Amino acid sequence: MKKSGAGLALVLVVAAAVAIGYLVGRTGDSAVNAQDVSPTEARERDVYVPNTEDLAPDEMRVIACGTGMPTTRAAQAAACFLVELGNGDKFLFDLGSGSAERISSLQIPYDYLDKIFLSHLHGDHFGALGELYIGGSLMGRHVPLRIWGPSGAAPELGTAYAVQKMEEMYTWDVAGRLGMADVRGIAVEVTEFDYTGVNQVVYDENGVVIRSWPAIHAIDGPVSFSLEWNDLKFVFGGDTYPNKWFIEYARDADLAIHECFIAAPDIVAKLGFTPEAALLVGTQIHTAPEAFGKVMSEIRPRMAIAYHFFKDWDTTGDILTRIQKTYDGPLSLAEDFMVWNVTKDDLRVRMALVEERTWSPPLASPAAVPSMADREAMSEKLGVEIGYTDFITDGKWNVDDVLIPIYEEAGQAVGRTFAYPDPTQPND
Ligand SMILES: [Zn+2]
Ligand SMILES: [Zn+2]
């Protein structure tokens, strides 16, 4: 096998990292520092607990909020990566099914989660969009959701069409919230860019530049992204067959995320595909582990990140073995809540320790009192009265005797009077 100078350098870096690992490892020097371990004092954690660590001005933190596949499972959401920058900006790359729950566990104010970049329009890459559109607003986003995504070969195959239809799908949902909640966040702003653009700038604000280039997956339309800020480079590859643009524009990334599908035998054994379909999907529509390794050997990132496979005790070994046939550099086999802290001098990989029973995170901007004007505007647009008809109101079964005391209790608690609604009138 031919060894290039760069390849040799990589081997030396890995060897140095291994040496450092031994030097700081607990087993290596436990005899020396055993007396330093206090039976009562707290020790430094080796996990990331959200909202307990400052992000340094020059630091990037990336959190996997979805690393799985189109087939849903509780253990892994589908594609979603959160990028947090030391300048305060945050970006979501893809928003696959199930990722909204992971995002909620991070307890980040939703005003800060308003920028989403979509690699393509498969449900496992944007299936949670509706949850951030509605749920994000109810949990404190008071600004519109900004969505960037590719065009397609026809207008109906583009991001703007998909988002417009999502808004239409939620017509009843939104109508049913007008006048009852602060709905300023139930709004979207779509920027659809040309999917054929090669290393084109699709975002340039506040020192952050995001570029896109085409990916090869299923049909025309998918793309991959790079984000550059403060001399750090993050690359997010959506689904793709290995492609020349990724090789060229992902080169020298600090973090290079690229899909890596489960090995073909497991596609047959676990997904029930025929061998023909497994070979097609696992090697031609997606990137096989051996091909993932070949891509990473070529672009040589500080950290290669593989996702888009179910990471189980009986699948991970085969994926790793196959990747290592073609790549021997730094590697993260991603799973949900894996965290990467990156500066020019350091790159740390940990898992997040998160809460599942979360409520709304703190508000980053004050909530507004719901306005009936919102409902009236929609009533006018739809040409109907939004609310209850007399037929429905007549169906109310009287529980005033137990509800009126609740109003009195609230009034006593906060020192003002809350008028009990007239049960014969529509809810308002
Ligand atoms: Zn896809
Ligand atoms: Zn996918």
Side-chain angles (χ1 to χ4, degrees), residues 70 94 119-125 217-218 222 238-240 259 261 285-286 308:
D94 280 351
S119 70
H120 66 300
L121 297 166
H122 269 153
D124 58 317
H125 294 256
H217 173 63
D239 293 355
T240 192
E259 71 135 301
F261 216 71
I285 307 298
H286 289 282
H308 215 301

Side-chain angles (χ1 to χ4, degrees), residues 102-375:
R102 271 67 172 165
I103 292 167
S104 170
S105 279
L106 299 177
Q107 288 287 283
I108 295 169
Y110 279 84
D111 268 357
Y112 299 155
L113 298 171
D114 64 333
K115 294 181 281 299
I116 300 170
F117 288 76
L118 300 178
S119 70
H120 66 300
L121 297 166
H122 269 153
D124 58 317
H125 294 256
F126 86 126
L129 190 56
E131 284 153 17
L132 216 63
Y133 169 57
I134 301 292
S137 165
L138 299 176
M139 286 189 280
R141 191 185 65 248
H142 301 138
V143 294
L145 206 50
R146 300 168 71 190
I147 301 165
W148 285 258
S151 62
E156 294 83 354
L157 297 170
T159 302
Y161 178 89
V163 173
Q164 181 201 326
K165 293 297 173 189
M166 177 197 74
E167 285 185 274
E168 289 177 14
M169 185 174 88
Y170 282 97
T171 300
W172 189 94
D173 182 299
V174 175
R177 300 185 194 282
L178 297 174
M180 301 177 196
D182 179 352
V183 293
R184 288 174 295 163
I186 306 184
V188 285
E189 292 173 3
V190 185
T191 304
E192 183 177 292
F193 56 82
D194 183 358
Y195 76 92
T196 66
V198 175
N199 209 31
Q200 68 181 336
V201 174
V202 296
Y203 179 95
D204 186 357
E205 290 179 29
N206 203 20
V208 182
V209 176
I210 298 176
R211 298 169 188 273
S212 81
W213 58 80
I216 304 171
H217 173 63
I219 57 173
D220 267 31
V223 298
S224 293
F225 295 104
S226 68
L227 178 153
E228 287 168 278
W229 166 77
N230 194 40
D231 210 21
L232 293 175
K233 183 172 178 179
F234 162 90
V235 170
F236 174 67
D239 293 355
T240 192
Y241 184 87
N243 70 78
K244 64 178 184 183
W245 302 289
F246 196 94
I247 297 297
E248 186 167 357
Y249 300 112
R251 204 172 281 281
D252 301 324
D254 292 281
L255 296 184
I257 300 173
H258 192 290
E259 71 135 301
C260 173
F261 216 71
I262 59 170
D266 281 330
I267 303 176
V268 175
K270 301 210 176 252
L271 292 176
F273 281 37
T274 63
E276 291 81 3
L279 289 169
L280 178 65
V281 172
T283 71
Q284 305 298 313
I285 307 298
H286 289 282
T287 296
E290 294 89 334
F292 169 90
K294 202 169 171 189
V295 168
M296 291 303 172
S297 282
E298 189 63 30
I299 66 166
R300 296 192 301 276
R302 278 174 77 195
M303 179 60 71
I305 301 173
Y307 79 105
H308 215 301
F309 57 90
F310 281 167
K311 192 178 176 184
D312 289 348
W313 58 93
D314 56 347
T315 55
T316 310
D318 195 19
I319 287 170
L320 181 60
T321 304
R322 288 167 183 267
I323 289 174
Q324 287 179 331
K325 285 181 186 172
T326 52
Y327 177 65
D328 62 1
L331 173 68
S332 301
L333 295 178
E335 60 186 88
D336 293 10
F337 292 127
M338 195 172 276
V339 182
W340 298 263
N341 285 75
V342 189
T343 61
K344 269 295 158 205
D345 308 320
D346 196 22
L347 202 165
R348 188 176 186 196
V349 188
R350 291 175 292 172
M351 291 299 296
L353 193 62
V354 299
E355 293 180 68
E356 293 189 344
R357 296 170 190 275
T358 49
W359 294 61
S360 295
L363 299 181
S365 61
V369 176
S371 166
M372 286 307 286
D374 295 333
R375 190 191 284 197

